[in-house]
């Protein structure tokens, strides 16, 4: 995947949820036309990748039939690829991953890290595309009952290490594998902060990191119950801090402010290395 080679800065992955029920934008981009327009807008704002998803992972969400997931995402992927976007497919299903790559996607973003579909890792290895393995303990209907950890960072790192090893054993190339702690997935609000405070322990797993903090509930709790769309400034603050820590990518609902924050961090990093040559 071209984007997995380092751009020398954190990448911004813009979200297009083609779903009726995602927590912050559900229903906004359910028609293919609206989703494509949103993707084009995010691309124009500087997104490095567009992450297209057809199944909500909101806590409590029910599964979507595979045919419906395919119907939602495939036309959107094809159009955005034609518009020049690098597209990732947010799915836990191997069948959807395969069809999406055939439509032009070059990265599979699997919130289950290969646990939801036993065929996923082999299919991704065979396709030869990039793969994001997120930390996951169970589907959305049960994940909020799975929030016990002895030490959240140690436990998430150990569980992610297992997913890394399974992905590599399946034949996914190490330079195509990204890990993600899965903020908000089987995590209490405090657990998300603990993970963000100790990112270096996750970086020690040896793979690039993707962080999805955008508009999540733990930000709403910090901000006295602010609604998802009112959490964008806090999301940008986290993007700057994560970029400063050297994460590979951030997954965000809006793009321009995040891309600006990344540019600021990259410029400062350049200055620390000795300035513009
Ligand atoms: N979060 C959501 C969906 N997909 N994928 C990755 N890799 N990391 C995340 O944190 C993540 C994800 C939930 O957010 P959304 O419903 O607004 O897309």
């Amino acid at each position: 995947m071209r984007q997995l080679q380092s751009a020398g800065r954190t990448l911004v992955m813009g979200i297009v949820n083609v779903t009726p029920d995602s927590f912050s934008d559900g229903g906004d981009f359910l028609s293919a036309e609206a989703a494509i327009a949103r993707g084009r807008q995010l691309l124009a704002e500087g997104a490095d990748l567009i992450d297209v998803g057809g199944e909500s992972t909101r806590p409590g969400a029910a599964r979507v039939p595979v045919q419906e997931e395919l119907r939602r995402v495939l036309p959107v992927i094809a159009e955005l690829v034609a518009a020049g976007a690098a597209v990732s497919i947010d799915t836990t299903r191997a069948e959807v991953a395969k069809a999406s790559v055939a439509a032009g996607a070059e990265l599979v973003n699997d919130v289950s890290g290969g646990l939801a579909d036993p065929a996923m890792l082999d299919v991704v290895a065979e396709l030869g595309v990039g793969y994001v393995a997120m930390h996951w303990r169970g589907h959305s209907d049960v994940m909020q009952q799975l929030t016990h950890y002895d030490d959240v960072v140690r436990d998430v790192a150990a569980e992610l290490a297992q997913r890394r090893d399974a992905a590599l054993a399946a034949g996914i190339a190490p330079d195509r594998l990204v890990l993600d702690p899965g903020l908000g997935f089987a995590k209490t609000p405090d657990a998300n902060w603990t993970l963000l405070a100790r990112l270096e322990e996750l970086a020690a797993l040896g793979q690039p990191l993707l962080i999805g903090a955008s508009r999540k509930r733990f930000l709403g709790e910090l901000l006295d119950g602010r609604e998802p769309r009112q959490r964008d400034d806090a999301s940008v603050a986290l993007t700057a801090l994560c970029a400063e820590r050297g994460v590979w990518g951030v997954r965000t609902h809006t793009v321009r402010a995040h891309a600006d924050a990344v540019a600021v961090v990259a410029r400062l990093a350049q200055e620390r290395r000795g300035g513009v040559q």
Side-chain angles (χ1 to χ4, degrees), residues 1-11 48-49 106-107 128-130 173-178 208 248-249:
M1 200 204 105
R2 52 188 150 138
Q3 262 63 27
L4 216 46
Q5 278 100 48
S6 173
R9 59 166 173 78
T10 296
L11 301 178
D48 298 294
L49 279 157
E106 50 190 285
L107 177 70
V129 293
D175 61 357
R176 294 194 172 186
L177 178 62
V178 175
W248 172 80

Side-chain angles (χ1 to χ4, degrees), residues 54-238:
E55 181 173 49
S56 172
T57 50
R58 171 179 58 84
R63 301 288 328 259
V64 169
V66 62
Q67 288 309 324
E68 173 63 11
E69 191 181 347
L70 288 165
R71 192 191 66 75
R72 290 179 185 174
V73 299
L74 292 181
V76 178
I77 293 170
E79 277 293 325
L80 293 178
V81 168
V87 170
S88 65
I89 171 65
D90 185 345
T91 188
T92 61
R93 289 177 166 132
E95 185 180 343
V96 176
K98 204 169 182 170
S100 298
V101 170
E106 50 190 285
L107 177 70
V108 175
N109 173 25
D110 178 0
V111 300
S112 82
L115 289 171
D117 184 339
M120 181 63 104
L121 297 179
D122 289 340
V123 163
V124 172
E126 169 92 29
L127 291 168
V129 293
Y131 184 64
V132 177
M134 199 192 82
H135 176 259
W136 184 88
R137 284 184 158 184
H139 284 289
S140 302
D141 54 343
V142 295
M143 69 179 174
Q144 289 317 104
Q145 296 148 40
L146 303 171
T147 59
H148 176 77
Y149 299 89
D150 291 329
D151 174 316
V152 66
V153 184
R154 273 214 322 266
D155 295 355
V156 167
E159 290 167 35
L160 272 180
Q162 287 176 0
R163 304 324 305 153
R164 174 199 62 198
D165 295 346
L168 297 177
I172 296 175
D175 61 357
R176 294 194 172 186
L177 178 62
V178 175
L179 301 176
D180 181 333
L183 301 180
F185 288 78
K187 313 288 181 321
T188 61
D190 285 348
N192 298 303
W193 291 111
T194 310
L195 285 160
L196 285 165
R198 291 164 55 190
L199 278 185
E200 63 283 355
E201 291 174 54
L202 302 174
L205 293 169
Q207 299 300 137
L209 294 179
L210 175 67
I211 300 294
S214 182
R215 294 183 178 172
K216 283 193 174 160
R217 190 162 53 92
F218 70 104
L219 296 176
E221 299 216 349
L222 176 74
L223 303 171
D224 301 324
R226 212 84 62 80
E227 291 304 306
R229 281 160 210 272
Q230 309 303 321
R231 302 171 191 165
D232 284 336
D233 295 342
S235 304
V236 172
L238 273 180

